[in-house]
Amino acid sequence: MTTSPESSGLDQTVLTDEEREAVYLIGETLIPEGGSGPSADQAAVATQFIDRFFELRPDLHSGFRELLAEADLKRPREWCERLERQRPADFSTLTFVIAGAYLLSPKARGWLKYEGQVGEYQDGSPQPEYAEGGLLDPVIARGPIYRATTWTRDGTGGAAATG
Amino acid sequence: MSTDQADVVIVGAGLAGGITAATLTAAGLHVVCLEQGGWPDYDKARADFPDYEVTADRYWARDPNTRRAEADYPVDDTDSDISALMWNGVGGGTVLYSAKWHRMTPGDFRVRSHDGVADDWPLSYEDLEPYYVEAERQLGVSGLAGNPAYPAGEGPPNPPVPIRAAGRRMAKALNELGWHWWPGGNAISTRDYRMLSPCRQHGTCMSGCPEGAKASTDLTHWPAAIDRGADLRTGARVTRVLVRGDRATGVEYVDREGRLHKVEARAVIMCANGIGTPRILLLSATSEHPDGLANSSGLLGKRLMMHPFGAVAGIFDEDLATHSGSWGQQIQTMHFYESDPARGFVRGAKWGLQPTGGPLGLTRSYPWGQSPEPMWFENFHDTLASRLGHAPMWSLIAEDLPHEHNTVTLSSDLADSDGLPGARLAYTVDENSKRLMDFHVARAVESFEVAGARETIVGPHVRASGWHLMGTAVMGDDPARSVTDRFGRAHDIPNLFIFDSSTWVTSGGVNPAATQAALALWSSDAFLRQGQLSRRDLRTGAAA
Ligand SMILES: Cc1cc2nc3c(=O)[nH]c(=O)nc-3n(C[C@H](O)[C@H](O)[C@H](O)COP(=O)(O)OP(=O)(O)OC[C@H]3O[C@@H](n4cnc5c(N)ncnc54)[C@H](O)[C@@H]3O)c2cc1C
Ligand code: SF4
C-alpha cells in the first residue's frame, strides 16, 4: 500500500495515513502473501475493510490505535510475536481487528468458500441414522446405563435414601 | 414513591420467572414481574449478515462485566476461578443459552446416598418427571425418546436436529468404542411448533436466534403470560424485599428514571438466578434479619456451583461442515456419567458435540491456541483453511460439588448503575473436578482419535465459563441446613419463595435449563395446589 497524506483520500478520522501504513505492515505480517489465499493487502484490509470494521465496532477503535502507536514497524514480526508472548489480551485485540477486517472482504471469504452463517433448511424429517437398522442400534441393544435409585420419602418428611 | 398491589410479585423475567408467571397467571392470579433489563433486540441477531462474527460479542456479550449495559450489575470475580455469565433482561439466560437440553438422571438427586459426598435432594427424578415432560412441551424441545441414560418415559415433542456429517462421524467412532451416545436434546425447534419456527442451522444460537427457533422465555412464555394479564415491568430493578416480622410484604424497585416504587404482594417469588437472588436477599437485611432474608441457616449465598467446563476439538481432513449446525448439539454422550471408584473421583460429565462456527472464531486463542499448528504469519492460510468446516468439538459439562466456601456476597466496592452493591464471588474449582475433567478430556481425545482426527485440541481451563449458576439458597427438609423447603418456600419467611437455580442441592453433570424449567413448574404447581395463594384465600386473607 502506498499512500501519502495528500493523495490517500481515505477517511482520516478512522485512521491517519500513517496509521494505515502501520495496518498495512502489520496486516501483511500476520496474513502475508504467498499462502493459498489473499494477503491482508490483497483483501484491501488497510484501504477499505478496516473502515468497515470500525463502523461495526467503534468500541475497539481507540484501543487498536493505541496498539498501532506503539508498534515497532521496522520489525513488525518481532513486535507481534513479543505482543503475543507478553500481552496476549492485546494481541487478541490486534488480531481480532485485522482478521475481522480481512474476513469482511469478499476476496477472503471467496477464497475460503465461506458464505457466512447462512445455515441450511431442515424440517425435522426422520433421519435414517435414528431408524431401526441405523447407527443407534448398538446403543439401544446395550440397554440402560443409568444408576437406578430406590427412594421414598419417610414419614417425618426427611429423605430416606436406600439406593 | 408509588405503591400498588398484586397477588404475587416475581423478581426476574428469565427462565424460572417466565415459566412461573405463565403458570400463575393461567391460574388466575394477578402477577407483577419486575425485570431489571428490557426485551432482547433481535435486530441485532446478525446471523444472515457478513458482519456476524465481528459484531456477535458486542450486544450479545455473555459477561455482564464486559457488556456493562444499564441493566447489568457488576460481579467481582477477582477471587473466582470462573466468571459468571448471564443475560439480564426478559428471557434471562435463555436469550444467550445454547439450548442444550438434558434432564438430570435419577442418581443426580442421590449423590450423598450413592457417593457419600454432598447431599441428597429432598425430591426425586420421579417427582420431577411429569414436569420435565411438560417443560419440554412448553419449550418445544427437540430430541429422541428412549435414551438408555434415563428411565423409559415420554420424550420431547419435536424430532432431533440433523445429525450432520460431524455427528455421524463421531457416532460411528463411539459405536466402535462401545460407548453410549444419543441424538442431542435441544430447546431448539425442528419444525413449526406453537410460537417457534424450524431451526435453520446457522450455528449462531448464543448471539441471537434470527429465526425464532430457539426457545427462550421471551418467546415461549412471556407473550402468553402478558396476554393473560401478567404485568411485566422492564427496567425495574428490585432493590430489596420488604418484610414485616417473618412475612414478606412486597418489594421495592427503582425504574430507569431513578424513581423508587413499591409493589405490595401476598407472596414474593425470587427468580433472579443463583447470583441475583442471594444478592437481593442480602441487600434486604433488616435489624430483624441482620444477615439477609431467609438466612437463619447461614447458607444464603453459599454452595455456589458453576460447572467446570471443558472443550476438546478434533480436526479432520474431510469437510464435516462444522461451520454451522444447531449450537446446541448434534449428538451427546453420557458414557462416563455415573461414578466409578476406580477413576479416583466421584460423579461424571456429559459431552455434547457441537459446531465450531465461522473463520474469525477459529483464529481466537480459545481453544485453538493450544494447537501445535501456529495460526499467524506464513501459517495463516493453511491453518485457517484446515479448521474451517473440519473441526467438531465436544463441550464437557462436569458435575460441580457444593462447598460452603464457594460464595456469593455483596461487593464492598463495585456498584450498579443505581448505586446498589454488585455481587462478589469466591469460588475455586475443587480437586475432584480437576481429576474428573482430566479423565473426561482424555476420553474425548480418544474418541476423536478413533474417529480419525488428524489433530485434537484440548481447551485449557477457561474462566469465562460460568454459564450455570446454582446452589446459593439450597433447598432441604431441615431449616438448620437449608434455605427453602423442597417447593422453594423459604423456611424463615413462609410467603417468600425461590424458584430459580439458587435452590439446587447438587449440580448434576448436565446443562441445567431442563431441571430449572421443571423445578419452576413443580414449585409453581405446589404453590397453587397447596392453596397457598388461591384467589379465595387471598380474598379471605387466609393466604399461607
Ligand atoms: C451464555 C450461556 C449459555 C448457556 N447455555 C445453556 C445450555 O446450553 N443449556 C442449559 O441447560 N443451560 C444453559 N445456560 C444456563 C441457563 O440459561 C440458566 O441456567 C437459566 O437461564 C437460569 O434460569 P434462572 O431463572 O435461574 O435465571 P435467569 O434466566 O438468569 O433469569 C434471572 C433474571 O433475573 C433478573 N434480575 C436479577 N436481579 C434482578 C433485580 N435486582 N431486579 C430485577 N430483575 C433482576 C435478571 O435480569 C434476569 O433476567 C446458559 C447460560 C448462559 C449465560
Ligand atoms: S441454529 Fe437454529 S436455533 Fe441456532 S440461531 Fe440458527 S435457527 Fe436459531
Side-chain angles (χ1 to χ4, degrees), chain A residues 29-30 32 38 57 59 77 92 95 117-120 122 124 127 129 135 142 145-147 151 153 157 161 163, chain B residues 54 57 110 113-114 120 122 148-149 159-161 163 168 175 179 199-200 202 323 338 364 377-378 381 477:
Chain A
T29 303
L30 290 166
R57 293 301 301 261
D59 55 313
R77 170 87 182 235
S92 175
T95 54
Q117 297 303 114
V118 285
E120 285 159 50
Q122 60 78 45
Q127 302 180 52
E129 291 82 359
L135 284 174
R142 282 193 297 270
I145 62 160
Y146 67 91
R147 184 167 176 185
W151 184 84
R153 238 183 125 67
Chain B
V54 165
D57 72 347
R110 296 287 160 265
S113 300
H114 285 180
D120 289 346
V161 300
I163 185 169
R168 208 172 296 121
N175 279 352
W179 293 357
C199 171
R200 250 184 59 198
H202 305 88
H323 62 287
E338 301 287 352
R364 302 295 81 207
F377 316 119
E378 61 278 9
H381 297 96
D477 292 329

Side-chain angles (χ1 to χ4, degrees), chain A residues 117, chain B residues 47 99 187-189 197-215 325-328:
Chain A
Q117 297 303 114
Chain B
I188 291 176
S189 188
S197 307
C199 171
R200 250 184 59 198
Q201 307 189 80
H202 305 88
T204 60
C205 317
M206 295 171 86
S207 317
C209 171
E211 308 291 332
K214 189 181 83 165
S326 317
W327 184 335

Side-chain angles (χ1 to χ4, degrees), chain B residues 219-244:
Chain B
L219 301 177
T220 51
H221 287 77
W222 277 109
I226 291 167
D227 274 354
R228 287 193 216 106
D231 178 356
L232 170 60
R233 300 182 194 171
T234 55
R237 175 173 274 138
V238 171
T239 55
R240 60 191 174 124
V241 176
L242 302 167
V243 280
R244 195 178 311 121

Side-chain angles (χ1 to χ4, degrees), chain B residues 82-352:
Chain B
I82 296 182
S83 42
L85 310 177
M86 61 180 82
W87 182 260
N88 291 315
V90 181
T94 61
V95 171
L96 290 185
Y97 75 163
S98 70
K100 297 182 178 79
W101 185 270
H102 285 268
R103 302 179 187 186
M104 298 211 310
T105 64
D108 283 332
F109 296 88
R110 296 287 160 265
V111 175
R112 161 67 60 185
S113 300
H114 285 180
D115 294 301
V117 294
D119 299 282
D120 289 346
W121 288 59
L123 52 88
S124 65
Y125 177 86
E126 290 71 23
D127 285 329
L128 273 194
E129 205 256 353
Y131 299 95
Y132 277 127
V133 171
E134 177 57 21
E136 286 162 10
R137 279 195 209 122
Q138 293 189 5
L139 285 117
V141 171
S142 56
L144 193 67
N147 186 348
Y150 294 89
E154 198 174 325
N158 287 312
V161 300
I163 185 169
R164 299 176 68 86
R168 208 172 296 121
R169 184 69 174 249
M170 292 312 296
K172 284 183 185 156
L174 298 189
N175 279 352
E176 218 171 291
L177 286 159
W179 293 357
H180 164 268
W181 67 276
W182 201 252
N186 296 287
I188 291 176
S189 188
T190 41
R191 53 187 180 193
D192 284 308
Y193 179 85
R194 300 187 181 176
M195 66 305 291
L196 298 173
S197 307
C199 171
R200 250 184 59 198
Q201 307 189 80
H202 305 88
T204 60
C205 317
M206 295 171 86
S207 317
C209 171
E211 308 291 332
K214 189 181 83 165
S216 49
T217 58
D218 55 299
L219 301 177
T220 51
H221 287 77
W222 277 109
I226 291 167
D227 274 354
R228 287 193 216 106
D231 178 356
L232 170 60
R233 300 182 194 171
T234 55
R237 175 173 274 138
V238 171
T239 55
R240 60 191 174 124
V241 176
L242 302 167
V243 280
R244 195 178 311 121
D246 69 351
R247 309 282 305 173
T249 57
V251 302
E252 187 181 85
Y253 74 93
V254 59
D255 69 21
R256 289 273 58 86
E257 274 73 49
R259 290 181 301 240
L260 215 51
H261 305 266
K262 189 156 95 174
V263 181
E264 292 173 345
R266 294 306 193 114
V268 175
I269 303 181
M270 303 301 298
C271 294
N273 86 27
I275 293 185
T277 286
R279 174 180 180 238
I280 298 165
L281 296 181
L282 291 168
L283 281 170
S284 306
T286 63
S287 54
E288 277 176 291
H289 303 274
D291 301 322
L293 299 188
N295 196 17
S296 63
S297 65
L299 288 172
L300 180 68
K302 295 185 176 159
R303 299 168 60 107
L304 172 67
M305 296 172 279
M306 293 200 277
H307 274 156
F309 173 78
V312 181
I315 298 187
F316 291 79
D317 289 330
E318 296 86 335
D319 186 350
L320 298 175
T322 54
H323 62 287
S324 59
S326 317
W327 184 335
Q329 54 190 352
Q330 276 64 53
I331 64 167
Q332 50 99 348
T333 168
M334 294 169 80
H335 191 73
F336 300 102
Y337 192 74
E338 301 287 352
S339 291
D340 176 349
R343 294 181 196 142
F345 58 85
V346 292
R347 312 307 298 157
K350 159 254 148 184
W351 320 348

